[in-house]
Amino acid sequence: QAEALDKITEIDRVINIDVDLKLLLNRLTGRRVCDACGESGHVSTIKGDVCPKCKKGKWIQRPDDNEETVGKRLSVYEKQTAPLIQYYTEKGILRSVNGSQAIDRVRAEILLVLEK
């Protein structure tokens, strides 16, 4: 797909958001959604059992956010992404950003990469 994309457009930068797999697993398995309105949150920041947005729903873990399913998804992602990372590294256009930081810092680093 990357080679096909090269045939139809010129790509000058590719951003890889690099996150430690243990941290990513924690982030994904800690996600909760409101069973009434769909609001999402993380166990590290949720206060109480009731959704603050709709004031009705309870926080639940989606079936696909359990450790086994997330682990499988991350394994597939790694296998599919590794060749792309190598491809764009060899072309000299891959830029990695530390995705383990706070989201505002990750955003700032991505914007810096795009400005260059």
Side-chain angles (χ1 to χ4, degrees):
Q1 288 177 341
E3 291 168 349
L5 186 60
D6 283 344
K7 292 177 183 175
I8 61 172
T9 190
E10 184 178 332
I11 298 173
D12 61 352
R13 273 164 281 179
V14 173
I15 299 173
N16 175 45
I17 302 174
D18 190 26
V19 182
D20 175 75
L21 287 180
K22 282 185 176 181
L23 176 60
L24 196 51
L25 184 65
N26 177 272
R27 285 179 178 175
L28 294 170
T29 58
R31 179 171 53 178
R32 298 295 183 268
V33 295
C34 172
D35 64 359
C37 73
E39 179 75 2
S40 65
H42 193 272
V43 295
S44 64
T45 59
I46 292 173
K47 293 174 175 61
D49 295 332
V50 179
C51 172
K53 183 177 179 183
C54 71
K55 312 254 190 280
K56 298 176 194 171
K58 302 254 187 221
W59 294 110
I60 61 167
Q61 184 179 39
R62 294 178 355 176
D64 60 337
D65 282 346
N66 67 62
E67 193 167 334
E68 180 182 351
T69 303
V70 170
K72 287 178 184 175
R73 286 193 335 239
L74 291 176
S75 177
V76 168
Y77 174 80
E78 264 194 329
K79 287 176 187 167
Q80 292 177 344
T81 304
L84 287 171
I85 290 172
Q86 180 179 347
Y87 179 79
Y88 288 119
T89 297
E90 289 170 1
K91 290 185 71 134
I93 60 174
L94 183 80
R95 305 293 181 270
S96 287
V97 170
N98 180 357
S100 298
Q101 306 172 88
I103 194 166
D104 58 332
R105 187 68 202 132
V106 173
R107 179 182 182 276
E109 284 193 22
I110 290 171
L111 291 175
L112 281 173
V113 168
L114 294 174
E115 289 174 1
K116 294 179 182 178

